[in-house]
mmCIF file of all heavy atoms in Angstrom:
data_model
loop_
_atom_site.group_PDB
_atom_site.id
_atom_site.type_symbol
_atom_site.label_atom_id
_atom_site.label_comp_id
_atom_site.label_asym_id
_atom_site.label_seq_id
_atom_site.Cartn_x
_atom_site.Cartn_y
_atom_site.Cartn_z
ATOM 1 N N HIS A 217 59.199 -237.813 -106.871
ATOM 2 C CA HIS A 217 60.202 -237.775 -107.875
ATOM 3 C C HIS A 217 61.402 -236.973 -107.512
ATOM 4 O O HIS A 217 62.537 -237.249 -107.760
ATOM 5 C CB HIS A 217 59.635 -237.417 -109.266
ATOM 6 C CG HIS A 217 58.465 -238.322 -109.663
ATOM 7 N ND1 HIS A 217 57.222 -237.817 -109.836
ATOM 8 C CD2 HIS A 217 58.488 -239.610 -109.981
ATOM 9 C CE1 HIS A 217 56.505 -238.779 -110.253
ATOM 10 N NE2 HIS A 217 57.063 -239.979 -110.345
ATOM 11 N N ARG A 218 60.946 -235.806 -106.955
ATOM 12 C CA ARG A 218 62.007 -234.910 -106.478
ATOM 13 C C ARG A 218 61.588 -234.426 -105.130
ATOM 14 O O ARG A 218 60.522 -234.187 -104.782
ATOM 15 C CB ARG A 218 62.284 -233.622 -107.450
ATOM 16 C CG ARG A 218 62.880 -234.077 -108.775
ATOM 17 C CD ARG A 218 63.448 -232.826 -109.478
ATOM 18 N NE ARG A 218 62.089 -231.847 -109.855
ATOM 19 C CZ ARG A 218 62.380 -230.565 -109.647
ATOM 20 N NH1 ARG A 218 63.530 -229.973 -109.221
ATOM 21 N NH2 ARG A 218 61.319 -229.739 -110.017
ATOM 22 N N ILE A 219 62.674 -233.898 -104.294
ATOM 23 C CA ILE A 219 62.341 -233.431 -102.928
ATOM 24 C C ILE A 219 63.250 -232.178 -102.722
ATOM 25 O O ILE A 219 64.392 -232.036 -103.205
ATOM 26 C CB ILE A 219 62.770 -234.511 -101.865
ATOM 27 C CG1 ILE A 219 61.875 -235.745 -102.180
ATOM 28 C CG2 ILE A 219 62.635 -234.058 -100.571
ATOM 29 C CD1 ILE A 219 62.433 -236.985 -101.318
ATOM 30 N N ALA A 220 62.677 -231.283 -101.967
ATOM 31 C CA ALA A 220 63.349 -230.076 -101.394
ATOM 32 C C ALA A 220 63.440 -230.135 -99.872
ATOM 33 O O ALA A 220 62.365 -230.473 -99.350
ATOM 34 C CB ALA A 220 62.809 -228.849 -101.871
ATOM 35 N N PHE A 221 64.525 -229.988 -99.343
ATOM 36 C CA PHE A 221 64.666 -229.994 -97.857
ATOM 37 C C PHE A 221 64.509 -228.514 -97.437
ATOM 38 O O PHE A 221 65.222 -227.597 -97.984
ATOM 39 C CB PHE A 221 66.004 -230.420 -97.286
ATOM 40 C CG PHE A 221 66.410 -231.969 -97.669
ATOM 41 C CD1 PHE A 221 67.599 -232.372 -97.680
ATOM 42 C CD2 PHE A 221 65.290 -232.737 -97.773
ATOM 43 C CE1 PHE A 221 67.969 -233.611 -97.997
ATOM 44 C CE2 PHE A 221 65.508 -234.171 -98.100
ATOM 45 C CZ PHE A 221 66.896 -234.571 -98.156
ATOM 46 N N ILE A 222 63.713 -228.226 -96.468
ATOM 47 C CA ILE A 222 63.454 -226.852 -96.019
ATOM 48 C C ILE A 222 63.614 -226.812 -94.528
ATOM 49 O O ILE A 222 63.075 -227.711 -93.758
ATOM 50 C CB ILE A 222 62.039 -226.299 -96.443
ATOM 51 C CG1 ILE A 222 61.887 -224.824 -95.948
ATOM 52 C CG2 ILE A 222 60.941 -227.142 -95.852
ATOM 53 C CD1 ILE A 222 60.620 -224.102 -96.553
ATOM 54 N N VAL A 223 64.427 -225.944 -94.064
ATOM 55 C CA VAL A 223 64.724 -225.697 -92.671
ATOM 56 C C VAL A 223 64.839 -224.258 -92.328
ATOM 57 O O VAL A 223 65.469 -223.485 -93.116
ATOM 58 C CB VAL A 223 66.141 -226.378 -92.373
ATOM 59 C CG1 VAL A 223 66.437 -226.184 -90.862
ATOM 60 C CG2 VAL A 223 66.257 -227.832 -92.584
ATOM 61 N N SER A 224 64.085 -223.756 -91.361
ATOM 62 C CA SER A 224 64.158 -222.348 -91.021
ATOM 63 C C SER A 224 63.766 -221.483 -92.027
ATOM 64 O O SER A 224 64.387 -220.302 -92.212
ATOM 65 C CB SER A 224 65.466 -222.040 -90.318
ATOM 66 O OG SER A 224 65.727 -222.858 -89.114
ATOM 67 N N GLY A 225 62.874 -221.875 -92.903
ATOM 68 C CA GLY A 225 62.481 -220.994 -93.987
ATOM 69 C C GLY A 225 63.118 -220.911 -95.185
ATOM 70 O O GLY A 225 62.978 -220.170 -96.109
ATOM 71 N N LYS A 226 64.309 -221.699 -95.252
ATOM 72 C CA LYS A 226 65.179 -221.790 -96.401
ATOM 73 C C LYS A 226 65.278 -223.221 -97.010
ATOM 74 O O LYS A 226 65.385 -224.165 -96.341
ATOM 75 C CB LYS A 226 66.530 -221.271 -95.976
ATOM 76 C CG LYS A 226 66.687 -219.868 -95.390
ATOM 77 C CD LYS A 226 68.076 -219.490 -95.013
ATOM 78 C CE LYS A 226 68.096 -218.108 -94.575
ATOM 79 N NZ LYS A 226 69.513 -217.623 -94.092
ATOM 80 N N ILE A 227 65.355 -223.189 -98.287
ATOM 81 C CA ILE A 227 65.575 -224.502 -99.061
ATOM 82 C C ILE A 227 67.131 -224.748 -98.972
ATOM 83 O O ILE A 227 67.933 -223.865 -99.339
ATOM 84 C CB ILE A 227 65.211 -224.317 -100.511
ATOM 85 C CG1 ILE A 227 63.742 -224.048 -100.551
ATOM 86 C CG2 ILE A 227 65.476 -225.521 -101.243
ATOM 87 C CD1 ILE A 227 62.787 -224.989 -100.087
ATOM 88 N N VAL A 228 67.460 -225.863 -98.370
ATOM 89 C CA VAL A 228 68.859 -226.173 -98.210
ATOM 90 C C VAL A 228 69.364 -227.190 -99.180
ATOM 91 O O VAL A 228 70.575 -227.318 -99.359
ATOM 92 C CB VAL A 228 69.168 -226.689 -96.718
ATOM 93 C CG1 VAL A 228 68.925 -225.637 -95.710
ATOM 94 C CG2 VAL A 228 68.387 -228.009 -96.518
ATOM 95 N N GLN A 229 68.503 -227.950 -99.840
ATOM 96 C CA GLN A 229 68.872 -228.752 -100.973
ATOM 97 C C GLN A 229 67.581 -229.289 -101.646
ATOM 98 O O GLN A 229 66.573 -229.480 -101.102
ATOM 99 C CB GLN A 229 69.607 -230.170 -100.425
ATOM 100 C CG GLN A 229 69.997 -230.953 -101.503
ATOM 101 C CD GLN A 229 71.336 -231.893 -101.041
ATOM 102 O OE1 GLN A 229 71.732 -231.737 -99.800
ATOM 103 N NE2 GLN A 229 71.818 -232.621 -101.959
ATOM 104 N N VAL A 230 67.850 -229.434 -103.050
ATOM 105 C CA VAL A 230 66.735 -229.868 -103.988
ATOM 106 C C VAL A 230 67.444 -230.928 -104.948
ATOM 107 O O VAL A 230 68.546 -230.776 -105.326
ATOM 108 C CB VAL A 230 66.200 -228.750 -104.800
ATOM 109 C CG1 VAL A 230 65.063 -229.373 -105.744
ATOM 110 C CG2 VAL A 230 65.681 -227.606 -104.033
ATOM 111 N N GLY A 231 66.702 -232.126 -104.996
ATOM 112 C CA GLY A 231 67.298 -233.043 -105.828
ATOM 113 C C GLY A 231 66.272 -234.193 -106.251
ATOM 114 O O GLY A 231 65.258 -234.292 -105.509
ATOM 115 N N ALA A 232 66.563 -234.838 -107.338
ATOM 116 C CA ALA A 232 65.777 -236.169 -107.591
ATOM 117 C C ALA A 232 65.953 -237.079 -106.377
ATOM 118 O O ALA A 232 67.027 -237.189 -105.941
ATOM 119 C CB ALA A 232 66.188 -236.803 -108.857
ATOM 120 N N THR A 233 64.883 -237.807 -106.039
ATOM 121 C CA THR A 233 64.925 -238.607 -104.956
ATOM 122 C C THR A 233 66.097 -239.726 -105.154
ATOM 123 O O THR A 233 66.923 -240.001 -104.262
ATOM 124 C CB THR A 233 63.766 -239.422 -104.822
ATOM 125 O OG1 THR A 233 62.587 -238.454 -104.637
ATOM 126 C CG2 THR A 233 63.707 -240.334 -103.546
#
Side-chain angles (χ1 to χ4, degrees):
H217 300 117
R218 289 194 303 137
I219 297 170
F221 297 157
I222 184 169
V223 178
S224 300
K226 297 181 179 180
I227 301 295
V228 295
Q229 185 154 359
V230 182
T233 306

